[in-house]
């Protein structure tokens, strides 16, 4: 009997219990998960840390709005029309910037811009985050079900996705919001801003889940063919385990990126809707409404444009940069 | 690379904004003459009604005159014209039974336009009016204008399909507000409505069952424009009206442009008011008010002979009013459009609450919120100062910023909950907030309810509307109290929809006063209306007078002869010319 | 050479197993006959090597054995029980008896789980509570496959290919199966590592009495482990028999060709010619008349085109072969004595 090289080596080397042990990276008993590695990469990225810091700052400001109001001393509805000239424009320098009005006053109604921005930020971020979370959850569920189950379920979900994508978002929003408000509130009742916020989030949720669903479905379809999925099946795991323990942990990277890019689009989307009158209406402070109103005053009171304009610019930029950095940090190649 | 680009863009924004922010605003400004009064007479001398109109100093023939407006004019059909833009444009291509000679400063004379005089009160009791039609008045194709064509124009205004225009003549001839059912135009095309007769080609007679001393004024509205029956295309007439004025409409591109050119068959010798200086007028639609204002400020090319019909937007008034170099290109006049906070008396039945509202109102801050002195001027009477015989008074003197304490006293501890209905567009919602914050200082609890913009007017005109307060505007059709107080406060006109008496006030004593004053000769009515104005405010307080609109317009350096009409408060083109 | 275990019922018996895939081509569909009727048996504690080139259907067969794929036809009997179309509830107990090791160590482990979790999942999924706890069992298994038991908290990306494959083996062993399908478990590994893993499997079989179906494309790799070998071509088994018979006295021309490809120092002295197969491989989409190998067989004759040869014992020999003109036995078999006992 001749020996193949494989057999040669096997025979010469075989002895139970000894194994070549390569040096494993890291120390200690607990290995570093791909998530922890990604986090470490993110920490090293300066752009990510700065933009992340900016976002955290904005969130804190939004959360602490009542506290800031208490310290600042002015509430968002207070009018200071005595500080306006007879055209309704703020007196003094730069649109009324003073020690007690850090960002100046609004023309016409004479309300404090700084505190209105703080509250407006709060509303905008709340809506954008809530919408982001809801649409991501729905999208992930739809995508995972469609991708994993395949067959008719995939076809039905695909059809629903196409339908939602085909519907003109703006027109539906414009039609839906007043109708729904009328349904719940009579002609003499004011529609509280909490209701408007809820309706806005619902409108976004109806349309926004599709991109996450498509993304996740694609990921799941490619994941389905991976051998560890088959291995799990061969081990006899339940479908719930398969979806939540095997599939989901492998797709949270694109989910996270999709979420971080969706949120700024909701910030701007809510601004547009408020401008069109179907979002948040006066007197509730709103970022988008302030920006759109201020554009008319570009020639006569540029400070009014400046502060909210710069803020939304920074906010959206920070979100986008951070989202990109997250995507880079989660690069699958380094998950080998 | 991306963060650097972002920083660069951000710095650009900062610089740009900072450039505009450096100056200090010390609060100087111009304001209009709020107390300019209007005087008006009905011409008695036939010479006043004869042409040609006095030449405009400095005017030259030629050129194209541009009028910029964002929305297109709703109706060009003279029987359907009632919007301010329509009233502004109609004299270019149509003539009426009577018209106003206007110096743009409040001095008005009513003269005959197609008629030789402003009308003869045949029996002296205002029930029968006779007009003689001038010789030499022609349509754009040279065919003569006779009483038949004028009568036909009035007759077709009864057609329920041709809605939109004023309804005085129809209601007075038929003696009922339901005029379209009283006389069916479509069934009676060859005959005339009751009371309207044309004994011959030169004579037109109105016979009313009740006295209507204001007929000469009413006849100045475009619904007395003539039309040959053969040219009546019904609802399509809007597309190409047949001209009787100095210009004819030669081209309409829907929503984009309307071009008018000289009507060579218009004879200036027959026209006491109009001129024909420019070769053509072009109405150009689409640009928004801010864009229009910026174009005219830059004054280049065709914009030099243009006017922005939308006026200076409130967001730019500070810049324009503060710019000395623009001063001789602006028009600033008060208008007769009066704005009031209407109180729905069906719901707010307690007089003391209505009076408290009047004490609480802060007109100064409201005007600041509207855009300041070039947009609005405070009003404490129901009739605007532009009314003939006007008397200033303040039934609830509270100072320019209101008197919340006095209001609270009247309320005596109560905190009435009232719903203020506003249109859902940005501007109106802001005013709603302004009024709410203002009234709440006096202890009221105000809920601001938004109403979809296109239906707000219709909804508040419904008899059983659910709101307590809403802001209404009224621009009288002629500067007499007769066209202000009775339409707005006579409860006998209340119907289910389409009300002008949106306070739903119905005080029989006041109604009797309306009848009494209307029966007086027009020249004597003025002071009586003024007295009645004060009495209504004191006894009923059906509204809170707020402000009159101020006309603030910008035109190019070559646009000459423009003035703000004293009757409606909008630009008039009868004297317009293009400077070389 | 071949072992005859005491019990007569084979652990695994496969008869006429087939898997057809519908393939859409334009408007119609054709059938891909991935596996087209295979028969074989595996006895307890024994290894069957299943060999063939890529695309011959061996991986598909392996998947069907562990019921990851649904057979289109045929029977699979495990321990005498028909498991061919078991599903759901009924399938669960089978998962404890029949397991699989996958080929690609880089995709057969979930990158997000620690290896400890990977190994523990089959235990948890099947409700197995080992005495001493799952964690101890995991460490035990790690030790059995030759890994440091303290590394159960490490992630797959911290291990080499060979080590990952050991994890895969540990996972398969966790439920104490009686038969393991090893789907090309060493094909993705370096040659030197291959040997280690093969040895590990051999040791496990000896210590735990496991049966194996060892799928490979290389006859050399399975030789070390297999008691019996089955050779597959285009979805059918063309020869099957005891190890010695296949390696020393192959009857099917294809088997001979495969053997000639094995780099063998001894052989090259005598049998210089490496058999190169020429001709086109018949497509598994088309039903082939006669012998599927005839398009590449140098011995093909008219009869081969007409009559499909059955897998039977021919010419008084022990192995089963599907050929009308099987190879004759070599005159002298010099290698016969050289072999060492395989299992036992």
């Amino acid at each position: 009997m001749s020996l193949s090289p494989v057999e040669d080596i096997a025979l010469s080397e075989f002895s139970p219990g000894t194994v070549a042990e390569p040096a494993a990276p890291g120390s200690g008993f607990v290995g570093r998960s791909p998530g922890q590695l990604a986090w470490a990469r993110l920490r090293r990225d300066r752009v990510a840390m700065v933009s992340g810091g900016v976002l955290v700052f904005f969130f804190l400001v939004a959360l602490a709005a009542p506290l800031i109001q208490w310290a600042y001393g002015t509430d968002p509805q207070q009018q200071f029309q005595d500080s306006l000239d007879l055209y309704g424009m703020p007196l003094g320098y730069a649109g009324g910037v003073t020690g007690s009005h850090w960002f100046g006053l609004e023309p016409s109604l004479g309300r404090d811009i700084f505190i209105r921005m703080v509250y407006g930020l709060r509303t905008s971020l709340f809506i954008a985050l809530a919408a982001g979370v809801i649409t991501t959850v729905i999208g992930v569920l739809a995508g995972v079900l469609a991708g994993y189950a395949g067959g008719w379920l995939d076809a039905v979900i695909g059809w629903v996705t196409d339908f939602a994508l085909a519907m003109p978002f703006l027109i539906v929003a414009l039609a839906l919001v007043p109708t729904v408000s009328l349904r719940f509130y009579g002609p003499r009742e004011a529609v509280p801003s909490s209701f408007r916020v809820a309706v806005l989030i619902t409108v976004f949720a109806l349309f926004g889940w599709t991109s996450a669903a498509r993304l996740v479905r694609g990921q799941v379809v490619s994941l389905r063919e991976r051998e560890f999925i088959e291995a799990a099946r061969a081990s006899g795991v339940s479908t719930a385990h398969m979806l939540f323990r095997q599939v989901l942990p492998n797709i949270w990277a694109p989910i996270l990126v999709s979420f971080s890019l969706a949120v700024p689009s909701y910030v701007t989307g809510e601004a547009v809707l408020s401008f069109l009158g179907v979002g948040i209406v006066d007197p509730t402070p709103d970022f988008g409404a302030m920006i759109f109103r201020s554009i008319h005053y570009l020639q006569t009171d540029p400070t009014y444009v400046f502060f909210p304009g710069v803020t939304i610019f920074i906010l959206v930029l920070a979100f986008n940069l951070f989202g990109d950095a997250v995507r880079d940090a989660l690069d699958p190649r380094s998950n080998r | 690379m991306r963060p650097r680009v972002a920083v660069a863009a951000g710095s650009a924004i900062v610089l740009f904004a900072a450039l505009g922010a450096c100056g200090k605003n010390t609060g100087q400004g111009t304001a209009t003459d709020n107390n300019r009064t209007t005087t008006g007479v009905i011409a008695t001398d036939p010479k006043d009604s004869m042409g040609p109109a006095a030449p405009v100093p400095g005017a030259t023939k030629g050129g194209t005159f541009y009028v910029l407006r964002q929305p297109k004019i709703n109706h060009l059909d003279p029987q359907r014209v009632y919007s301010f833009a329509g009233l502004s444009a109609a004299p270019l291509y149509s003539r009426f039974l009577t018209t106003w000679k206007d110096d743009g400063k409040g001095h008005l004379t009513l003269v005959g336009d197609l008629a030789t005089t402003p009308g003869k009160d045949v029996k002296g009791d205002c029930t029968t009016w006779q007009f003689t039609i001038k010789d030499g008045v022609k349509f754009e194709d040279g065919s003569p204008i006779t009483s038949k064509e004028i009568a036909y124009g009035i007759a077709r205004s009864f057609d329920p399909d041709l809605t939109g225009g004023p309804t005085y003549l129809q209601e007075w001839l038929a003696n009922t507000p339901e005029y379209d059912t009283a006389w069916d135009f479509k069934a009676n095309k060859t005959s005339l409505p009751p009371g309207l007769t044309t004994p011959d080609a030169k004579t037109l007679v109105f016979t009313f069952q009740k006295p209507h001393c204001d007929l000469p004024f009413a006849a100045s509205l475009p619904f007395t424009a003539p039309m040959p029956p053969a040219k009546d295309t019904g609802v399509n007439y809007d597309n190409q009206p047949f001209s009787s004025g100095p210009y004819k409409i030669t081209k309409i591109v829907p929503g984009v442009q309307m071009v008018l050119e000289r009507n060579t068959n218009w004879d200036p010798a027959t026209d006491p008011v109009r001129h024909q200086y420019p070769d053509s007028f072009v109405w150009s639609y689409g640009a928004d008010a801010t864009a229009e204002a910026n174009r005219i400020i830059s004054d280049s090319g065709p914009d030099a002979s243009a006017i922005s019909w939308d006026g200076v937007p409130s967001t730019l008034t500070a810049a324009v009013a503060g710019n000395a170099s623009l001063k001789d290109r602006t028009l600033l006049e008060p208008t007769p459009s009066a704005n009031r906070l209407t109180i729905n008396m069906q719901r707010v039945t307690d007089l003391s609450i209505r009076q408290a509202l009047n004490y609480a109102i802060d007109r100064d801050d409201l005007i600041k919120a509207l855009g300041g002195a070039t947009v609005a001027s405070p009003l404490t009477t129901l009739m605007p100062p532009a009314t003939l015989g006007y008397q200033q008074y303040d039934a609830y003197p509270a100072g320019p910023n209101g008197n919340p304490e006095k209001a609270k006293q009247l309320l005596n501890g109560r905190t009435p909950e009232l719903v203020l209905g506003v249109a859902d567009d940005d501007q109106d919602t802001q005013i709603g907030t302004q009024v709410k914050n203002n009234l709440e200082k006096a202890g009221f609890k105000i809920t601001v309810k938004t109403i979809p913009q296109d239906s707000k007017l219709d909804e508040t005109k419904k008899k059983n509307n659910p709101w307590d307060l809403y802001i209404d505007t009224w621009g009288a059709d002629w500067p007499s109290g007769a066209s202000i107080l009775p339409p707005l406060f006579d409860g006998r006109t209340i119907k289910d929809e389409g009300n002008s008496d949106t306070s739903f006030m119905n005080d029989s004593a006041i109604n009797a006063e309306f009848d009494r004053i209307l029966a007086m000769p027009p020249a004597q009515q003025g002071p009586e209306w003024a007295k009645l104005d004060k009495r209504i405010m004191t006894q009923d307080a059906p509204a809170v007078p707020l402000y009159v609109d101020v006309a603030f317009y910008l035109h190019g350096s070559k646009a000459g002869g423009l003035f703000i009409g004293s009757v409606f408060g909008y630009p008039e083109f009868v004297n317009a010319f293009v400077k070389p | 050479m071949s072992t005859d275990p005491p019990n007569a019922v084979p652990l695994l018996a496969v008869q006429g197993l087939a898997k057809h895939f519908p393939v859409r081509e334009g408007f119609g569909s054709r059938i891909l006959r991935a596996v087209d009727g295979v028969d074989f048996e595996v006895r307890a504690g024994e290894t069957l090597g299943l060999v063939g080139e890529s695309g011959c259907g061996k991986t598909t067969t392996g998947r069907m054995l562990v019921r990851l794929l649904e057979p289109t036809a045929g029977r699979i009997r495990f321990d005498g029980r028909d498991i061919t179309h078991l599903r759901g509830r009924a399938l669960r107990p089978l998962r404890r008896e029949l397991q699989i090791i996958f080929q690609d160590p880089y995709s057969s482990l979930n990158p997000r789980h620690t290896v400890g979790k990977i190994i523990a999942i089959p235990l948890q999924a099947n409700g197995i509570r080992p005495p001493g706890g799952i964690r101890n069992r995991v460490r035990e298994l790690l030790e059995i496959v030759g890994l440091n038991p303290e590394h159960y908290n490490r992630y797959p990306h911290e291990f080499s290919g060979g080590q990952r494959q050991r994890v895969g083996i540990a996972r398969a062993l966790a439920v104490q199966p009686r038969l393991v399908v090893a789907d090309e478990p060493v094909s993705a590994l370096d040659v030197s590592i291959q040997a280690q893993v093969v040895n590990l499997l051999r040791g496990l079989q000896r210590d735990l009495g496991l049966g194996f179906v060892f799928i490979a494309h290389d006859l050399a790799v399975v030789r070390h482990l297999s008691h019996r070998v089955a050779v597959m071509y285009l979805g059918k088994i063309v020869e099957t028999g005891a190890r010695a018979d296949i390696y020393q006295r192959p009857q099917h021309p294809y088997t001979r060709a495969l053997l000639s490809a094995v780099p063998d120092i001894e052989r090259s002295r005598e049998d210089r010619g490496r058999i190169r197969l020429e001709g086109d491989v018949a497509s598994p989409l088309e039903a082939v008349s006669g012998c599927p190998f005839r398009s590449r067989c140098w011995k093909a004759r008219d009869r081969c085109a007409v009559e499909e040869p059955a897998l039977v014992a021919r010419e008084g020999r022990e192995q089963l072969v599907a050929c009308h003109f099987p190879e004759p036995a070599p005159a002298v078999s010099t290698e016969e004595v050289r072999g060492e006992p395989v299992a036992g």
Side-chain angles (χ1 to χ4, degrees), chain A residues 54-79:
Chain A
V54 167
L55 289 177
V56 167
F57 170 71
F58 278 128
F59 284 129
L60 286 177
V61 165
L63 269 177
L67 207 61
I68 294 178
Q69 178 187 326
W70 175 81
Y72 186 63
T74 309
D75 82 60
Q77 305 303 338
Q78 247 178 306
Q79 294 182 258

Side-chain angles (χ1 to χ4, degrees), chain B residues 380-459:
Chain B
T380 54
T381 56
L382 292 170
M383 304 192 302
T387 317
L388 299 170
Y390 175 77
Q391 300 271 344
Q392 158 69 10
Y393 71 88
D394 190 347
Y396 303 99
N401 290 98
N403 191 342
E405 294 314 314
K406 191 103 209 281
K408 274 194 189 145
Q409 261 179 7
L410 258 183
L411 287 175
N412 207 6
R414 290 172 295 173
T415 55
E417 296 185 15
L418 300 172
V419 178
L420 167 66
V422 297
D424 67 0
D425 66 289
D426 209 42
Q427 162 89 338
D428 283 21
T429 347
Q430 280 220 292
I431 300 302
T433 308
Q434 172 73 27
V435 171
K436 172 184 151 100
N437 288 347
N438 174 191
L439 294 176
E440 285 187 343
K441 287 192 197 141
F444 288 97
K445 182 138 178 10
I446 305 289
T447 305
V448 177
K449 184 74 187 170
T450 54
I451 309 167
Q453 199 182 7
D454 348 0
S455 58
K456 185 227 170 192
L457 267 181
D458 290 338
E459 291 297 319

Side-chain angles (χ1 to χ4, degrees), chain C residues 43-56:
Chain C
R43 306 206 175 89
E46 184 186 85
T47 302
L48 173 73
L50 190 57
V51 182
E53 61 193 22
S54 317
C56 70

